[in-house]
Short mmCIF file of all heavy atoms in Angstrom, two decimals:
data_model
loop_
_atom_site.label_atom_id
_atom_site.label_comp_id
_atom_site.label_asym_id
_atom_site.label_seq_id
_atom_site.Cartn_x
_atom_site.Cartn_y
_atom_site.Cartn_z
N MET K 1 5.75 -5.84 5.56
CA MET K 1 4.44 -6.44 5.44
C MET K 1 3.39 -5.36 5.61
O MET K 1 3.43 -4.59 6.55
CB MET K 1 4.28 -7.51 6.49
CG MET K 1 2.96 -8.17 6.46
SD MET K 1 2.94 -9.49 7.69
CE MET K 1 1.22 -9.69 7.85
N TYR K 2 2.47 -5.29 4.70
CA TYR K 2 1.40 -4.31 4.77
C TYR K 2 0.14 -4.97 5.29
O TYR K 2 -0.10 -6.14 5.06
CB TYR K 2 1.14 -3.72 3.38
CG TYR K 2 2.27 -2.90 2.88
CD1 TYR K 2 3.17 -3.42 1.97
CD2 TYR K 2 2.47 -1.62 3.35
CE1 TYR K 2 4.23 -2.68 1.52
CE2 TYR K 2 3.53 -0.86 2.90
CZ TYR K 2 4.40 -1.41 1.97
OH TYR K 2 5.45 -0.67 1.54
N MET K 3 -0.67 -4.21 6.00
CA MET K 3 -1.92 -4.74 6.54
C MET K 3 -3.08 -4.15 5.76
O MET K 3 -3.05 -2.98 5.38
CB MET K 3 -2.07 -4.36 8.01
CG MET K 3 -0.97 -4.92 8.88
SD MET K 3 -1.20 -4.64 10.64
CE MET K 3 -1.76 -2.99 10.75
N ASN K 4 -4.10 -4.94 5.51
CA ASN K 4 -5.29 -4.39 4.90
C ASN K 4 -6.17 -3.76 5.98
O ASN K 4 -5.87 -3.80 7.16
CB ASN K 4 -6.05 -5.46 4.11
CG ASN K 4 -6.48 -6.62 4.97
OD1 ASN K 4 -6.64 -6.49 6.17
ND2 ASN K 4 -6.66 -7.77 4.35
N ASP K 5 -7.28 -3.17 5.58
CA ASP K 5 -8.14 -2.45 6.53
C ASP K 5 -8.71 -3.37 7.60
O ASP K 5 -8.85 -2.98 8.75
CB ASP K 5 -9.28 -1.76 5.79
CG ASP K 5 -8.78 -0.68 4.87
OD1 ASP K 5 -7.67 -0.16 5.14
OD2 ASP K 5 -9.47 -0.35 3.90
N ILE K 6 -9.03 -4.61 7.25
CA ILE K 6 -9.63 -5.53 8.22
C ILE K 6 -8.61 -5.91 9.28
O ILE K 6 -8.89 -5.90 10.47
CB ILE K 6 -10.17 -6.78 7.49
CG1 ILE K 6 -11.31 -6.38 6.56
CG2 ILE K 6 -10.63 -7.83 8.49
CD1 ILE K 6 -11.74 -7.46 5.62
N ASP K 7 -7.38 -6.25 8.86
CA ASP K 7 -6.34 -6.59 9.82
C ASP K 7 -5.97 -5.40 10.69
O ASP K 7 -5.63 -5.55 11.85
CB ASP K 7 -5.09 -7.11 9.11
CG ASP K 7 -5.32 -8.45 8.47
OD1 ASP K 7 -6.24 -9.16 8.91
OD2 ASP K 7 -4.58 -8.78 7.52
N PHE K 8 -6.02 -4.20 10.14
CA PHE K 8 -5.69 -3.00 10.89
C PHE K 8 -6.68 -2.79 12.03
O PHE K 8 -6.31 -2.37 13.12
CB PHE K 8 -5.69 -1.78 9.97
CG PHE K 8 -5.28 -0.51 10.64
CD1 PHE K 8 -3.96 -0.31 10.98
CD2 PHE K 8 -6.20 0.47 10.91
CE1 PHE K 8 -3.55 0.85 11.59
CE2 PHE K 8 -5.81 1.64 11.53
CZ PHE K 8 -4.48 1.83 11.86
N MET K 9 -7.94 -3.12 11.82
CA MET K 9 -8.96 -2.92 12.84
C MET K 9 -8.94 -4.04 13.89
O MET K 9 -9.51 -3.89 14.95
CB MET K 9 -10.35 -2.86 12.20
CG MET K 9 -10.50 -1.71 11.23
SD MET K 9 -10.10 -0.10 11.92
CE MET K 9 -11.44 0.11 13.06
N LYS K 10 -8.26 -5.16 13.63
CA LYS K 10 -8.23 -6.28 14.56
C LYS K 10 -7.09 -6.20 15.57
O LYS K 10 -6.83 -7.15 16.27
CB LYS K 10 -8.09 -7.60 13.79
CG LYS K 10 -9.33 -8.00 13.04
CD LYS K 10 -9.10 -9.33 12.37
CE LYS K 10 -10.29 -9.76 11.58
NZ LYS K 10 -10.05 -11.03 10.90
N ILE K 11 -6.39 -5.08 15.64
CA ILE K 11 -5.29 -4.95 16.59
C ILE K 11 -5.85 -5.04 18.01
O ILE K 11 -6.82 -4.38 18.36
CB ILE K 11 -4.54 -3.62 16.37
CG1 ILE K 11 -3.87 -3.64 15.01
CG2 ILE K 11 -3.52 -3.37 17.47
CD1 ILE K 11 -3.19 -2.37 14.63
N ASP K 12 -5.23 -5.88 18.84
CA ASP K 12 -5.75 -6.16 20.16
C ASP K 12 -5.63 -4.98 21.12
O ASP K 12 -6.46 -4.80 21.99
CB ASP K 12 -5.03 -7.37 20.77
CG ASP K 12 -5.33 -8.64 19.99
OD1 ASP K 12 -6.38 -8.68 19.34
OD2 ASP K 12 -4.51 -9.56 20.03
N THR K 13 -4.60 -4.19 20.98
CA THR K 13 -4.39 -3.10 21.92
C THR K 13 -5.20 -1.88 21.52
O THR K 13 -5.51 -1.66 20.36
CB THR K 13 -2.90 -2.72 21.98
OG1 THR K 13 -2.51 -2.29 20.68
CG2 THR K 13 -2.06 -3.90 22.42
N GLU K 14 -5.54 -1.08 22.51
CA GLU K 14 -6.28 0.15 22.26
C GLU K 14 -5.34 1.34 22.11
O GLU K 14 -5.78 2.42 21.78
CB GLU K 14 -7.25 0.40 23.41
CG GLU K 14 -8.37 -0.63 23.51
CD GLU K 14 -9.31 -0.55 22.32
OE1 GLU K 14 -9.53 0.55 21.81
OE2 GLU K 14 -9.82 -1.61 21.91
N SER K 15 -4.07 1.15 22.36
CA SER K 15 -3.11 2.26 22.32
C SER K 15 -2.84 2.69 20.89
O SER K 15 -2.53 1.86 20.03
CB SER K 15 -1.81 1.83 22.98
OG SER K 15 -0.84 2.84 22.82
N PRO K 16 -2.92 3.97 20.59
CA PRO K 16 -2.60 4.43 19.24
C PRO K 16 -1.11 4.31 18.91
O PRO K 16 -0.72 4.41 17.76
CB PRO K 16 -3.04 5.88 19.23
CG PRO K 16 -3.19 6.28 20.63
CD PRO K 16 -3.42 5.04 21.43
N LEU K 17 -0.27 4.07 19.92
CA LEU K 17 1.15 3.92 19.67
C LEU K 17 1.47 2.62 18.92
O LEU K 17 2.51 2.50 18.29
CB LEU K 17 1.94 3.93 20.99
CG LEU K 17 1.87 5.23 21.77
CD1 LEU K 17 2.57 5.07 23.11
CD2 LEU K 17 2.49 6.36 20.97
N HIS K 18 0.57 1.65 18.97
CA HIS K 18 0.78 0.37 18.30
C HIS K 18 0.24 0.34 16.88
O HIS K 18 0.42 -0.63 16.17
CB HIS K 18 0.13 -0.76 19.11
CG HIS K 18 0.82 -1.00 20.41
ND1 HIS K 18 0.38 -0.42 21.57
CD2 HIS K 18 1.91 -1.71 20.72
CE1 HIS K 18 1.18 -0.80 22.56
NE2 HIS K 18 2.12 -1.58 22.07
N ARG K 19 -0.41 1.40 16.45
CA ARG K 19 -0.94 1.46 15.09
C ARG K 19 0.13 1.97 14.14
O ARG K 19 0.96 2.79 14.49
CB ARG K 19 -2.16 2.37 15.03
CG ARG K 19 -3.30 1.81 15.84
CD ARG K 19 -4.52 2.64 15.69
NE ARG K 19 -5.57 2.08 16.54
CZ ARG K 19 -6.71 2.67 16.76
NH1 ARG K 19 -6.97 3.84 16.22
NH2 ARG K 19 -7.61 2.11 17.53
N VAL K 20 0.10 1.48 12.91
CA VAL K 20 1.11 1.81 11.93
C VAL K 20 0.46 2.52 10.76
O VAL K 20 -0.56 2.07 10.24
CB VAL K 20 1.82 0.53 11.44
CG1 VAL K 20 2.84 0.86 10.38
CG2 VAL K 20 2.45 -0.21 12.59
N ALA K 21 1.02 3.63 10.32
CA ALA K 21 0.53 4.32 9.13
C ALA K 21 1.10 3.63 7.90
O ALA K 21 2.31 3.40 7.81
CB ALA K 21 0.95 5.78 9.16
N ILE K 22 0.24 3.28 6.97
CA ILE K 22 0.65 2.56 5.78
C ILE K 22 0.56 3.51 4.59
O ILE K 22 -0.52 3.98 4.25
CB ILE K 22 -0.27 1.34 5.54
CG1 ILE K 22 -0.23 0.44 6.75
CG2 ILE K 22 0.15 0.59 4.28
CD1 ILE K 22 -1.32 -0.58 6.77
N PRO K 23 1.69 3.82 3.94
CA PRO K 23 1.62 4.69 2.77
C PRO K 23 0.98 3.96 1.59
O PRO K 23 1.27 2.79 1.35
CB PRO K 23 3.08 5.03 2.49
CG PRO K 23 3.84 3.90 3.07
CD PRO K 23 3.04 3.41 4.25
N LEU K 24 0.10 4.64 0.89
CA LEU K 24 -0.55 4.08 -0.28
C LEU K 24 -0.36 5.03 -1.46
O LEU K 24 -0.28 6.24 -1.28
CB LEU K 24 -2.05 3.88 -0.04
CG LEU K 24 -2.45 2.88 1.02
CD1 LEU K 24 -3.96 2.92 1.24
CD2 LEU K 24 -2.02 1.48 0.64
N TYR K 25 -0.33 4.49 -2.67
CA TYR K 25 -0.21 5.30 -3.88
C TYR K 25 -1.62 5.59 -4.40
O TYR K 25 -2.39 4.68 -4.70
CB TYR K 25 0.59 4.56 -4.95
CG TYR K 25 0.75 5.36 -6.22
CD1 TYR K 25 1.80 6.25 -6.36
CD2 TYR K 25 -0.17 5.24 -7.25
CE1 TYR K 25 1.94 7.00 -7.50
CE2 TYR K 25 -0.04 5.99 -8.40
CZ TYR K 25 1.01 6.87 -8.52
OH TYR K 25 1.14 7.62 -9.65
N TYR K 26 -1.96 6.87 -4.52
CA TYR K 26 -3.25 7.30 -5.06
C TYR K 26 -3.03 7.85 -6.46
O TYR K 26 -2.23 8.77 -6.65
CB TYR K 26 -3.88 8.36 -4.16
CG TYR K 26 -4.31 7.81 -2.83
CD1 TYR K 26 -3.47 7.89 -1.72
CD2 TYR K 26 -5.54 7.19 -2.67
CE1 TYR K 26 -3.86 7.38 -0.49
CE2 TYR K 26 -5.94 6.67 -1.46
CZ TYR K 26 -5.09 6.77 -0.38
OH TYR K 26 -5.48 6.26 0.83
N ALA K 27 -3.75 7.32 -7.43
CA ALA K 27 -3.54 7.69 -8.83
C ALA K 27 -3.97 9.12 -9.13
O ALA K 27 -3.47 9.73 -10.05
CB ALA K 27 -4.30 6.72 -9.73
N ASP K 28 -4.88 9.67 -8.36
CA ASP K 28 -5.41 11.00 -8.67
C ASP K 28 -4.75 12.13 -7.87
O ASP K 28 -5.28 13.23 -7.81
CB ASP K 28 -6.92 11.02 -8.44
CG ASP K 28 -7.30 10.59 -7.03
OD1 ASP K 28 -6.41 10.09 -6.31
OD2 ASP K 28 -8.47 10.77 -6.67
N SER K 29 -3.59 11.89 -7.27
CA SER K 29 -2.90 12.93 -6.52
C SER K 29 -1.39 12.79 -6.67
O SER K 29 -0.90 11.79 -7.18
CB SER K 29 -3.29 12.85 -5.04
OG SER K 29 -2.86 11.64 -4.48
N VAL K 30 -0.67 13.82 -6.23
CA VAL K 30 0.79 13.78 -6.26
C VAL K 30 1.26 12.95 -5.07
O VAL K 30 0.91 13.23 -3.93
CB VAL K 30 1.38 15.20 -6.19
CG1 VAL K 30 2.89 15.14 -6.14
CG2 VAL K 30 0.92 16.01 -7.38
N ASN K 31 2.04 11.93 -5.34
CA ASN K 31 2.53 11.03 -4.30
C ASN K 31 4.03 11.21 -4.14
O ASN K 31 4.77 11.11 -5.11
CB ASN K 31 2.23 9.57 -4.68
CG ASN K 31 0.76 9.31 -4.76
OD1 ASN K 31 0.11 9.10 -3.76
ND2 ASN K 31 0.21 9.33 -5.97
N HIS K 32 4.47 11.47 -2.93
CA HIS K 32 5.89 11.58 -2.64
C HIS K 32 6.35 10.29 -1.97
O HIS K 32 5.64 9.72 -1.15
CB HIS K 32 6.16 12.78 -1.74
CG HIS K 32 5.85 14.09 -2.41
ND1 HIS K 32 6.71 14.68 -3.30
CD2 HIS K 32 4.75 14.88 -2.33
CE1 HIS K 32 6.16 15.80 -3.74
NE2 HIS K 32 4.97 15.94 -3.17
N CYS K 33 7.53 9.85 -2.33
CA CYS K 33 8.10 8.63 -1.77
C CYS K 33 8.35 8.81 -0.27
O CYS K 33 8.90 9.83 0.14
CB CYS K 33 9.41 8.30 -2.48
SG CYS K 33 10.22 6.83 -1.84
N PRO K 34 7.93 7.84 0.56
CA PRO K 34 8.17 7.96 1.99
C PRO K 34 9.65 7.86 2.36
O PRO K 34 10.06 8.30 3.43
CB PRO K 34 7.37 6.82 2.60
CG PRO K 34 7.13 5.86 1.49
CD PRO K 34 7.16 6.65 0.23
N SER K 35 10.49 7.33 1.47
CA SER K 35 11.91 7.18 1.77
C SER K 35 12.75 8.37 1.31
O SER K 35 13.56 8.89 2.06
CB SER K 35 12.46 5.91 1.13
OG SER K 35 11.82 4.78 1.67
N CYS K 36 12.56 8.77 0.04
CA CYS K 36 13.44 9.81 -0.51
C CYS K 36 12.73 11.13 -0.80
O CYS K 36 13.38 12.13 -1.02
CB CYS K 36 14.14 9.29 -1.77
SG CYS K 36 13.03 9.01 -3.16
N GLY K 37 11.40 11.14 -0.87
CA GLY K 37 10.66 12.37 -1.09
C GLY K 37 10.40 12.73 -2.55
O GLY K 37 9.70 13.69 -2.82
N HIS K 38 10.95 11.97 -3.50
CA HIS K 38 10.71 12.25 -4.91
C HIS K 38 9.31 11.80 -5.32
O HIS K 38 8.64 11.06 -4.59
CB HIS K 38 11.77 11.56 -5.77
CG HIS K 38 13.10 12.21 -5.68
ND1 HIS K 38 14.03 11.83 -4.73
CD2 HIS K 38 13.66 13.20 -6.40
CE1 HIS K 38 15.12 12.56 -4.89
NE2 HIS K 38 14.92 13.41 -5.89
N SER K 39 8.86 12.23 -6.49
CA SER K 39 7.51 11.89 -6.93
C SER K 39 7.49 11.23 -8.30
O SER K 39 6.54 11.39 -9.05
CB SER K 39 6.63 13.14 -6.94
OG SER K 39 7.17 14.12 -7.82
N HIS K 40 8.53 10.48 -8.65
CA HIS K 40 8.58 9.74 -9.91
C HIS K 40 8.37 8.27 -9.61
O HIS K 40 9.10 7.68 -8.81
CB HIS K 40 9.93 9.95 -10.61
CG HIS K 40 10.21 11.38 -10.92
ND1 HIS K 40 9.55 12.06 -11.90
CD2 HIS K 40 11.05 12.26 -10.34
CE1 HIS K 40 9.98 13.30 -11.95
NE2 HIS K 40 10.90 13.46 -11.00
N TRP K 41 7.35 7.65 -10.27
CA TRP K 41 6.94 6.29 -9.93
C TRP K 41 6.85 5.41 -11.15
O TRP K 41 6.53 5.86 -12.24
CB TRP K 41 5.56 6.32 -9.26
CG TRP K 41 5.56 7.05 -7.97
CD1 TRP K 41 5.27 8.38 -7.80
CD2 TRP K 41 5.86 6.53 -6.69
NE1 TRP K 41 5.38 8.70 -6.47
CE2 TRP K 41 5.74 7.59 -5.77
CE3 TRP K 41 6.22 5.28 -6.22
CZ2 TRP K 41 5.98 7.43 -4.41
CZ3 TRP K 41 6.45 5.11 -4.87
CH2 TRP K 41 6.32 6.17 -3.98
N HIS K 42 7.11 4.12 -10.97
CA HIS K 42 6.81 3.07 -11.95
C HIS K 42 5.59 2.35 -11.39
O HIS K 42 5.63 1.77 -10.31
CB HIS K 42 7.98 2.09 -12.10
CG HIS K 42 9.22 2.72 -12.62
ND1 HIS K 42 9.34 3.16 -13.91
CD2 HIS K 42 10.41 2.99 -12.02
CE1 HIS K 42 10.54 3.67 -14.10
NE2 HIS K 42 11.21 3.59 -12.95
N ILE K 43 4.49 2.38 -12.15
CA ILE K 43 3.22 1.83 -11.68
C ILE K 43 3.05 0.41 -12.20
O ILE K 43 3.18 0.15 -13.40
CB ILE K 43 2.03 2.69 -12.15
CG1 ILE K 43 2.28 4.16 -11.84
CG2 ILE K 43 0.73 2.21 -11.53
CD1 ILE K 43 2.49 4.46 -10.39
N GLY K 44 2.73 -0.50 -11.31
CA GLY K 44 2.47 -1.89 -11.68
C GLY K 44 1.02 -2.23 -11.46
O GLY K 44 0.16 -1.37 -11.35
N ARG K 45 0.72 -3.51 -11.39
CA ARG K 45 -0.66 -3.96 -11.20
C ARG K 45 -1.15 -3.77 -9.77
O ARG K 45 -2.31 -3.47 -9.54
CB ARG K 45 -0.79 -5.43 -11.58
CG ARG K 45 -0.60 -5.68 -13.03
CD ARG K 45 -0.75 -7.14 -13.33
NE ARG K 45 -0.48 -7.39 -14.73
CZ ARG K 45 -0.40 -8.58 -15.25
NH1 ARG K 45 -0.55 -9.64 -14.49
NH2 ARG K 45 -0.15 -8.72 -16.53
N SER K 46 -0.27 -4.00 -8.81
CA SER K 46 -0.70 -3.91 -7.41
C SER K 46 0.18 -3.01 -6.56
O SER K 46 -0.10 -2.81 -5.39
CB SER K 46 -0.76 -5.31 -6.80
OG SER K 46 0.53 -5.88 -6.82
N SER K 47 1.27 -2.48 -7.14
CA SER K 47 2.14 -1.60 -6.36
C SER K 47 2.79 -0.56 -7.26
O SER K 47 2.80 -0.69 -8.49
CB SER K 47 3.23 -2.41 -5.65
OG SER K 47 4.10 -2.99 -6.58
N ALA K 48 3.30 0.48 -6.63
CA ALA K 48 4.05 1.52 -7.32
C ALA K 48 5.46 1.54 -6.75
O ALA K 48 5.64 1.44 -5.54
CB ALA K 48 3.38 2.87 -7.12
N GLU K 49 6.46 1.64 -7.62
CA GLU K 49 7.86 1.62 -7.18
C GLU K 49 8.49 2.97 -7.50
O GLU K 49 8.34 3.50 -8.60
CB GLU K 49 8.60 0.51 -7.90
CG GLU K 49 10.05 0.40 -7.50
CD GLU K 49 10.76 -0.72 -8.20
OE1 GLU K 49 10.14 -1.78 -8.40
OE2 GLU K 49 11.93 -0.54 -8.56
N CYS K 50 9.18 3.53 -6.53
CA CYS K 50 9.87 4.80 -6.71
C CYS K 50 10.96 4.63 -7.76
O CYS K 50 11.74 3.69 -7.70
CB CYS K 50 10.46 5.28 -5.38
SG CYS K 50 11.38 6.82 -5.53
N ALA K 51 11.04 5.56 -8.71
CA ALA K 51 12.03 5.48 -9.77
C ALA K 51 13.42 5.84 -9.26
O ALA K 51 14.42 5.50 -9.90
CB ALA K 51 11.65 6.40 -10.92
N ILE K 52 13.52 6.49 -8.13
CA ILE K 52 14.81 6.93 -7.61
C ILE K 52 15.41 5.89 -6.65
O ILE K 52 16.51 5.41 -6.84
CB ILE K 52 14.68 8.29 -6.91
CG1 ILE K 52 14.01 9.33 -7.83
CG2 ILE K 52 16.03 8.78 -6.40
CD1 ILE K 52 14.71 9.61 -9.12
N CYS K 53 14.67 5.56 -5.58
CA CYS K 53 15.23 4.67 -4.55
C CYS K 53 14.65 3.25 -4.59
O CYS K 53 15.04 2.41 -3.79
CB CYS K 53 15.01 5.27 -3.16
SG CYS K 53 13.29 5.27 -2.63
N HIS K 54 13.71 2.98 -5.49
CA HIS K 54 13.10 1.66 -5.69
C HIS K 54 12.31 1.17 -4.47
O HIS K 54 12.15 -0.03 -4.28
CB HIS K 54 14.16 0.62 -6.08
CG HIS K 54 14.95 1.03 -7.27
ND1 HIS K 54 14.42 1.02 -8.53
CD2 HIS K 54 16.22 1.49 -7.39
CE1 HIS K 54 15.33 1.45 -9.39
NE2 HIS K 54 16.43 1.75 -8.72
N ASP K 55 11.79 2.08 -3.67
CA ASP K 55 10.91 1.71 -2.57
C ASP K 55 9.52 1.45 -3.15
O ASP K 55 9.04 2.21 -3.99
CB ASP K 55 10.86 2.84 -1.54
CG ASP K 55 10.15 2.46 -0.27
OD1 ASP K 55 10.01 1.25 -0.02
OD2 ASP K 55 9.74 3.36 0.48
N ALA K 56 8.87 0.38 -2.76
CA ALA K 56 7.56 0.01 -3.31
C ALA K 56 6.47 0.22 -2.27
O ALA K 56 6.65 -0.09 -1.09
CB ALA K 56 7.56 -1.43 -3.77
N ILE K 57 5.34 0.76 -2.72
CA ILE K 57 4.16 0.91 -1.87
C ILE K 57 2.95 0.39 -2.63
O ILE K 57 2.92 0.41 -3.86
CB ILE K 57 3.94 2.38 -1.43
CG1 ILE K 57 3.76 3.31 -2.62
CG2 ILE K 57 5.09 2.86 -0.55
CD1 ILE K 57 3.40 4.73 -2.25
N PRO K 58 1.94 -0.13 -1.92
CA PRO K 58 0.77 -0.69 -2.61
C PRO K 58 -0.12 0.41 -3.19
O PRO K 58 -0.14 1.54 -2.72
CB PRO K 58 0.04 -1.45 -1.50
CG PRO K 58 0.49 -0.83 -0.24
CD PRO K 58 1.88 -0.32 -0.48
N LEU K 59 -0.86 0.04 -4.25
CA LEU K 59 -1.82 0.95 -4.83
C LEU K 59 -3.06 1.00 -3.96
O LEU K 59 -3.51 -0.02 -3.43
CB LEU K 59 -2.22 0.49 -6.23
CG LEU K 59 -1.11 0.41 -7.27
CD1 LEU K 59 -1.67 -0.11 -8.58
CD2 LEU K 59 -0.45 1.74 -7.47
N ALA K 60 -3.65 2.17 -3.82
CA ALA K 60 -4.86 2.31 -3.02
C ALA K 60 -6.06 1.69 -3.73
O ALA K 60 -6.97 1.19 -3.08
CB ALA K 60 -5.13 3.78 -2.73
N GLN K 61 -6.07 1.68 -5.06
CA GLN K 61 -7.21 1.18 -5.82
C GLN K 61 -7.09 -0.29 -6.18
O GLN K 61 -7.97 -0.83 -6.81
CB GLN K 61 -7.37 1.98 -7.11
CG GLN K 61 -7.78 3.40 -6.89
CD GLN K 61 -6.60 4.33 -6.63
OE1 GLN K 61 -5.46 3.92 -6.72
NE2 GLN K 61 -6.88 5.57 -6.27
N SER K 62 -6.01 -0.96 -5.83
CA SER K 62 -5.84 -2.34 -6.25
C SER K 62 -6.75 -3.27 -5.46
O SER K 62 -6.99 -3.08 -4.28
CB SER K 62 -4.39 -2.80 -6.10
OG SER K 62 -4.03 -2.82 -4.75
N ARG K 63 -7.25 -4.26 -6.13
CA ARG K 63 -8.11 -5.27 -5.51
C ARG K 63 -7.51 -6.63 -5.81
O ARG K 63 -7.00 -6.88 -6.90
CB ARG K 63 -9.52 -5.24 -6.09
CG ARG K 63 -10.21 -3.92 -5.92
CD ARG K 63 -11.06 -3.96 -4.66
NE ARG K 63 -11.99 -2.87 -4.65
CZ ARG K 63 -11.87 -1.81 -3.88
NH1 ARG K 63 -10.85 -1.69 -3.10
NH2 ARG K 63 -12.78 -0.88 -3.88
N TYR K 64 -7.58 -7.51 -4.84
CA TYR K 64 -7.06 -8.85 -5.03
C TYR K 64 -8.25 -9.81 -5.10
O TYR K 64 -9.00 -9.94 -4.16
CB TYR K 64 -6.15 -9.25 -3.87
CG TYR K 64 -4.93 -8.39 -3.79
CD1 TYR K 64 -4.85 -7.33 -2.90
CD2 TYR K 64 -3.85 -8.63 -4.63
CE1 TYR K 64 -3.72 -6.54 -2.84
CE2 TYR K 64 -2.72 -7.84 -4.58
CZ TYR K 64 -2.66 -6.80 -3.68
OH TYR K 64 -1.55 -6.02 -3.63
N PHE K 65 -8.40 -10.46 -6.26
CA PHE K 65 -9.48 -11.42 -6.45
C PHE K 65 -8.88 -12.81 -6.57
O PHE K 65 -7.85 -12.99 -7.22
CB PHE K 65 -10.29 -11.09 -7.70
CG PHE K 65 -11.02 -9.77 -7.62
CD1 PHE K 65 -10.58 -8.68 -8.32
CD2 PHE K 65 -12.13 -9.65 -6.81
CE1 PHE K 65 -11.24 -7.47 -8.24
CE2 PHE K 65 -12.80 -8.45 -6.73
CZ PHE K 65 -12.36 -7.36 -7.46
N ALA K 66 -9.53 -13.77 -5.99
CA ALA K 66 -9.09 -15.15 -6.12
C ALA K 66 -9.43 -15.66 -7.50
O ALA K 66 -10.53 -15.48 -8.00
CB ALA K 66 -9.75 -16.01 -5.06
N THR K 67 -8.48 -16.27 -8.17
CA THR K 67 -8.70 -16.83 -9.48
C THR K 67 -9.13 -18.28 -9.33
O THR K 67 -8.42 -19.08 -8.74
CB THR K 67 -7.42 -16.77 -10.32
OG1 THR K 67 -6.96 -15.42 -10.35
CG2 THR K 67 -7.67 -17.27 -11.73
N PRO K 68 -10.31 -18.63 -9.85
CA PRO K 68 -10.75 -20.02 -9.69
C PRO K 68 -9.90 -20.95 -10.57
O PRO K 68 -9.52 -20.62 -11.68
CB PRO K 68 -12.19 -20.00 -10.18
CG PRO K 68 -12.30 -18.80 -11.05
CD PRO K 68 -11.29 -17.81 -10.53
N ILE K 69 -9.60 -22.11 -10.04
CA ILE K 69 -8.84 -23.12 -10.77
C ILE K 69 -9.84 -24.06 -11.45
O ILE K 69 -10.65 -24.70 -10.79
CB ILE K 69 -7.91 -23.90 -9.82
CG1 ILE K 69 -6.93 -22.94 -9.18
CG2 ILE K 69 -7.21 -25.02 -10.59
CD1 ILE K 69 -6.07 -23.56 -8.12
N LEU K 70 -9.77 -24.08 -12.76
CA LEU K 70 -10.69 -24.93 -13.52
C LEU K 70 -9.99 -26.23 -13.88
O LEU K 70 -8.86 -26.24 -14.35
CB LEU K 70 -11.12 -24.20 -14.79
CG LEU K 70 -11.80 -22.85 -14.57
CD1 LEU K 70 -12.05 -22.17 -15.91
CD2 LEU K 70 -13.09 -23.02 -13.81
N ASN K 71 -10.68 -27.33 -13.65
CA ASN K 71 -10.10 -28.64 -13.98
C ASN K 71 -10.59 -29.12 -15.32
O ASN K 71 -11.59 -28.98 -15.79
CB ASN K 71 -10.46 -29.68 -12.92
CG ASN K 71 -9.74 -29.36 -11.61
OD1 ASN K 71 -8.69 -28.74 -11.65
ND2 ASN K 71 -10.31 -29.76 -10.52
#
């Protein structure tokens, strides 16, 4: 489960040991897989998947918008 920036700031404890680093895929830089270290990716709409070990990480530029339901 990944946390967004708002949830990350709402952590109750002040200890830095309870904070988690979240890897993100940046389109304008070389990204290495946190699991295997390779840099070959399959890019989707909201995540990037490693072509070697199939580990998925969220895109840094992705935005989630609510789609209105029209009746």
Side-chain angles (χ1 to χ4, degrees):
M1 179 176 161
Y2 293 101
M3 298 186 318
N4 59 25
D5 295 335
I6 295 169
D7 291 337
F8 184 72
M9 299 305 291
K10 289 182 182 178
I11 295 175
D12 295 335
T13 61
E14 294 293 327
S15 173
L17 296 175
H18 292 95
R19 295 185 183 171
V20 178
I22 303 166
L24 296 174
Y25 180 88
Y26 292 94
D28 56 349
S29 64
V30 176
N31 297 279
H32 295 280
C33 178
S35 297
C36 68
H38 287 90
S39 60
H40 301 288
W41 297 93
H42 297 290
I43 310 301
R45 293 180 184 173
S46 62
S47 66
E49 181 179 322
C50 178
I52 307 301
C53 70
H54 305 287
D55 189 19
I57 60 174
L59 299 178
Q61 292 85 6
S62 66
R63 301 266 195 254
Y64 297 99
F65 295 106
T67 305
I69 300 173
L70 303 174
N71 292 333

